[in-house]
Amino acid sequence: MRNAAELSGMVEPDRVRKEVYTDQEIFEQEMARIHETVWIYVGHESQVPRAGDYYTAQIGRQPMLMVRGKDGKVHVLYNRCPHRGNMMVGDRHGNCGEFFRCSYHAWTFQHSGKLRSIPMIESGYTGTRVNKDSPELSMKPAPRVESYRGFVFASLAKDGPGLKEFLGKSIVAFDDMCDRAPEGEVEVVPNCFRVIQHSNWKLFMENQIDALHPSVTHQSTGRAAHEVEKKIAKQAKAGEALSYHMLSAFATVTIDKWDNFQTINYPYGHCILTGYMGLRPQDPDTKAYDKIMIKAYGKERFDEIVGVNIHHVLVYPGLSVQSPLQQLRAVRPLGVDRTLTEIWHFRLKGAPEAIYRRSLAYYNLVNSPATLINADDLENFWKCHQGLSSDGGDWVSFARHHGHDIEQDGAVSSAPNQGTSEAPMRNQMKAWAKYMQGRA
Ligand code: FES
Ligand SMILES: [Fe+2]
């Protein structure tokens, strides 16, 4: 266990010690103090539409599951049988029927986790400490569960800020995504991609809002896509060029232009990257969608909804959301040098199929493990972790545009024309240090 003095020596406003990424003890401590304390995204309600449907998710080091009860309520429980500790479900998702039944000795449990039956309880347990109503004989629920617009979060700490207070301004990730649906709701597209990267989880979080890297790291991918895009445009197949544009933007938005974007950084480490990468064309599909939206919301509200200028929202410590394209990535640390990302996308309820195909294209072309973009990033993550594990240096620098950030009403923005500021990394580490010292 690192004490507060040790931890505070590791984080300076514009740099952090390498051990923050590589030390096993620090990893255990951040699982206990951050991931197993704050609100962590479990999944979307639409993953468990029917009673008995369950879906597993890791919160910090804890195997958890969410399950839909008969009354429609979504419960989040530890995936553990209270008898001898067997995981209640061994697969990722499924339907448990009327109740859970442990595969080891057939204890059964309600969807709420409450003990339902034990084989031959009278003859087996009379006179023992076990009686049917002892709470320790039920599956343990997450101390706090809350859902916002269908997105289910759990906190493994009894006390702390409520979900809305914790999310603060980053709540826009879910509002922006759902508001873009004519029915005001999204539904998950089963299933997700899962990638295990051989690097610390914080490298992923830092990269998500690193506006300096795209035109460097993804330049070759962007250039190749731009060549094809130009050819297609010449042949006047404008409809097909849009998906190439999702990739070519990584090269056409050159490094200097990324300074025009802006990051706004909030308490608890959350961050918004403004900008939309020019992905709002005026093709027939978009026009058909606009018409449905105007009918649903009226012109004024429609303009407000599609005018939200967000490219990316980071909900620290475990979520990266690209709301205008209905993309969500959940970060599940597995070890100090192993991180799982779940890569999801959503369907706007009531929107035409063509609009869904656009978010599917972005999912496949930019976020999936099949794309060069994701591979570009994964290579950097691994190389960073290797370098940080070496004796080649002691610090990681976050000094870009340090001292120029603008602080107002508790938010820290990158200064005008300084969108590539490392303000988001400084903000994340500030939150990290607070959590680790128990000051958050
Ligand atoms: S471990 Fe579950 S019933 Fe025995
Ligand atoms: Fe990237």
Side-chain angles (χ1 to χ4, degrees):
M1 199 72 154
R2 304 286 186 140
N3 63 36
E6 268 180 295
L7 288 163
S8 74
M10 290 185 169
V11 180
E12 295 182 7
D14 61 344
R15 61 178 194 167
V16 300
R17 290 281 307 187
K18 64 173 184 179
E19 292 83 0
V20 161
Y21 299 84
T22 57
D23 184 286
Q24 182 64 35
E25 253 180 72
I26 289 181
F27 175 78
E28 298 295 335
Q29 207 163 334
E30 60 189 9
M31 289 306 100
R33 295 208 170 159
I34 306 178
H35 289 259
E36 293 167 13
T37 299
V38 305
W39 289 100
I40 295 289
Y41 177 66
V42 181
H44 193 264
E45 285 180 20
S46 58
Q47 283 169 246
V48 288
R50 296 164 308 146
D53 283 349
Y54 63 82
Y55 225 105
T56 60
Q58 186 87 3
I59 298 185
R61 297 158 296 186
Q62 313 300 321
M64 308 295 293
L65 59 83
M66 70 171 174
V67 57
R68 175 83 65 176
K70 285 191 201 116
D71 56 358
K73 196 173 161 194
V74 174
H75 305 272
V76 178
L77 310 169
Y78 284 79
N79 183 9
R80 178 193 191 276
C81 176
H83 178 213
R84 300 252 288 273
N86 196 23
M87 282 214 300
M88 188 56 61
V89 298
D91 43 5
R92 204 160 266 148
H93 59 101
N95 185 288
C96 69
E98 295 279 302
F99 49 83
F100 287 109
R101 180 178 182 276
C102 180
S103 61
Y104 204 175
H105 313 96
W107 288 26
T108 65
F109 303 86
Q110 318 281 11
H111 297 145
S112 65
K114 193 171 169 2
L115 180 70
R116 180 178 165 277
S117 68
I118 295 177
M120 300 169 290
I121 187 168
E122 282 79 18
S123 57
Y125 288 94
T126 305
T128 72
R129 68 159 72 219
V130 172
N131 97 44
K132 208 175 162 207
D133 297 317
S134 322
E136 68 269 26
L137 293 189
S138 290
M139 288 169 72
K140 187 174 163 186
R144 293 185 299 158
V145 180
E146 277 190 48
S147 173
Y148 183 73
R149 298 193 77 164
F151 295 85
V152 180
F153 288 77
S155 159
L156 302 188
K158 256 193 352 289
D159 306 308
L163 178 63
K164 273 193 174 175
E165 187 191 336
F166 169 76
L167 290 174
K169 298 276 190 214
S170 74
I171 206 164
V172 72
F174 312 104
D175 286 332
D176 186 38
M177 205 193 287
C178 296
D179 289 347
R180 285 171 190 270
E183 293 174 22
E185 281 180 9
V186 294
E187 61 188 350
V188 79
V189 181
N191 202 336
C192 69
F193 287 119
R194 287 185 168 78
V195 175
I196 292 177
Q197 52 206 50
H198 294 264
S199 53
N200 187 261
W201 62 276
K202 295 187 290 301
L203 293 169
F204 180 88
M205 294 304 280
E206 288 160 8
N207 182 70
Q208 293 310 91
I209 308 265
D210 181 327
L212 187 62
H213 92 283
S215 54
V216 182
T217 299
H218 307 304
Q219 188 185 44
S220 55
T221 306
R223 272 191 191 156
H226 192 44
E227 288 307 311
V228 181
E229 185 185 30
K230 281 191 291 193
K231 269 189 207 150
I232 292 176
K234 258 193 208 147
Q235 294 159 6
K237 285 189 193 164
E240 284 170 58
L242 178 63
S243 51
Y244 282 98
H245 184 68
M246 291 172 178
L247 290 176
S248 65
F250 286 96
T252 53
V253 182
T254 49
I255 192 160
D256 48 316
K257 292 192 196 133
W258 281 93
D259 258 339
N260 300 333
F261 289 67
Q262 198 185 20
T263 62
I264 313 169
N265 300 282
Y266 298 101
Y268 300 118
H270 310 322
C271 178
I272 293 174
L273 174 67
T274 64
Y276 196 52
M277 289 177 76
L279 290 174
R280 183 147 192 88
Q282 277 305 302
D283 59 307
D285 292 338
T286 308
K287 284 184 182 155
Y289 162 76
D290 290 357
K291 229 169 147 180
I292 297 171
M293 285 289 285
I294 291 168
K295 198 165 166 220
Y297 292 102
K299 179 77 169 75
E300 201 177 317
R301 179 73 185 120
F302 164 76
D303 286 337
E304 238 173 62
I305 291 170
V306 296
V308 172
N309 184 29
I310 283 179
H311 180 59
H312 213 130
V313 181
L314 197 81
V315 183
Y316 194 77
L319 211 50
S320 150
V321 186
Q322 287 165 290
S323 45
L325 289 155
Q326 300 91 52
Q327 314 282 318
L328 177 148
R329 280 171 282 180
V331 182
R332 319 271 185 204
L334 302 177
V336 68
D337 59 355
R338 277 179 85 232
T339 304
L340 167 72
T341 52
E342 290 174 8
I343 307 165
W344 296 94
H345 74 302
F346 294 82
R347 194 186 280 271
L348 298 174
K349 277 194 175 176
E353 179 68 13
I355 295 299
Y356 164 65
R357 300 211 77 78
R358 194 168 293 174
S359 99
L360 176 64
Y362 194 87
Y363 182 69
N364 281 329
L365 288 171
V366 180
N367 288 345
S368 86
T371 166
L372 292 174
I373 299 287
N374 191 298
D376 292 337
D377 287 325
L378 285 168
E379 193 200 3
N380 279 346
F381 299 153
W382 176 73
K383 282 159 65 187
C384 278
H385 200 96
Q386 294 304 304
L388 291 171
S389 308
S390 79
D391 294 333
D394 293 331
W395 295 91
V396 170
S397 167
F398 295 139
R400 190 173 177 87
H401 292 311
H402 180 233
H404 298 197
D405 306 331
I406 300 165
E407 197 161 349
Q408 202 174 19
D409 303 329
V412 177
S413 303
S414 50
N417 225 21
Q418 292 186 1
T420 62
S421 167
E422 281 165 341
M425 298 81 187
R426 293 191 283 271
N427 189 52
Q428 286 173 42
M429 285 316 302
K430 194 170 143 192
W432 184 90
K434 272 191 177 177
Y435 281 128
M436 292 293 274
Q437 294 168 47
R439 293 188 289 117

